[in-house]
Amino acid sequence: QVQLVESGGGLVQAGGSLRLSCVVTGRTFSLYAMGWFRQAPGKEREFVARITWSAGTTYYANSVKGRFAISRDNAKNTVYLQMNSLKPEDTAVYFCAGGEEGRGYEHWGQGTQVTVSS
């Protein structure tokens, strides 16, 4: 009923920027918040940022504060993750996730690879 598709990943040099997009289709009205997560090889998936659909309230992991910005375009049912000042340690597969109010993140995209070279 809810589908998420990420895009925008790629290979960039340290200090560069990328903008990830997550397009949500289906029963988008059922979603309360959207989040970005990432998983590096051999590491557990970690939280990056989240935003609520209605109020646009944001929250970030300490590791990306001041460098990343999450936003949403309600009319386009799209969530973005602007990533600036990228570091090699940001290299990971980035996943978009959606959660209904009162529930955890139960809807996930397929992920998009972000590789930051030094």
Side-chain angles (χ1 to χ4, degrees), residues 10 16 18 20 28 34 42 53 57 77 87 93-94 104 107 112 115:
L18 281 175
L20 306 183
T28 60
M34 301 294 296
W53 277 114
T57 303
N77 292 324
K87 305 174 181 179
V93 176
Y94 283 70
H107 308 282
T112 184
T115 302

Side-chain angles (χ1 to χ4, degrees), residues 14-70:
S17 299
L18 281 175
R19 189 182 75 160
L20 306 183
S21 298
C22 174
V23 179
V24 185
T25 58
R27 300 177 68 254
T28 60
F29 54 85
S30 68
L31 296 177
Y32 168 73
M34 301 294 296
W36 284 98
F37 296 77
R38 66 187 183 186
Q39 186 169 22
K43 303 290 185 179
E44 293 186 348
R45 183 163 50 195
E46 66 173 339
F47 167 80
V48 175
R50 77 107 169 90
I51 188 169
T52 59
W53 277 114
S54 57
T57 303
T58 60
Y59 182 76
Y60 298 92
N62 288 333
S63 60
V64 305
K65 286 182 179 178
R67 299 190 299 121
F68 291 11
I70 187 171

Side-chain angles (χ1 to χ4, degrees), residues 87-103:
K87 305 174 181 179
E89 48 263 47
D90 293 319
T91 296
V93 176
Y94 283 70
F95 297 90
C96 180
E100 298 179 3
E101 188 171 12
R103 304 181 68 85

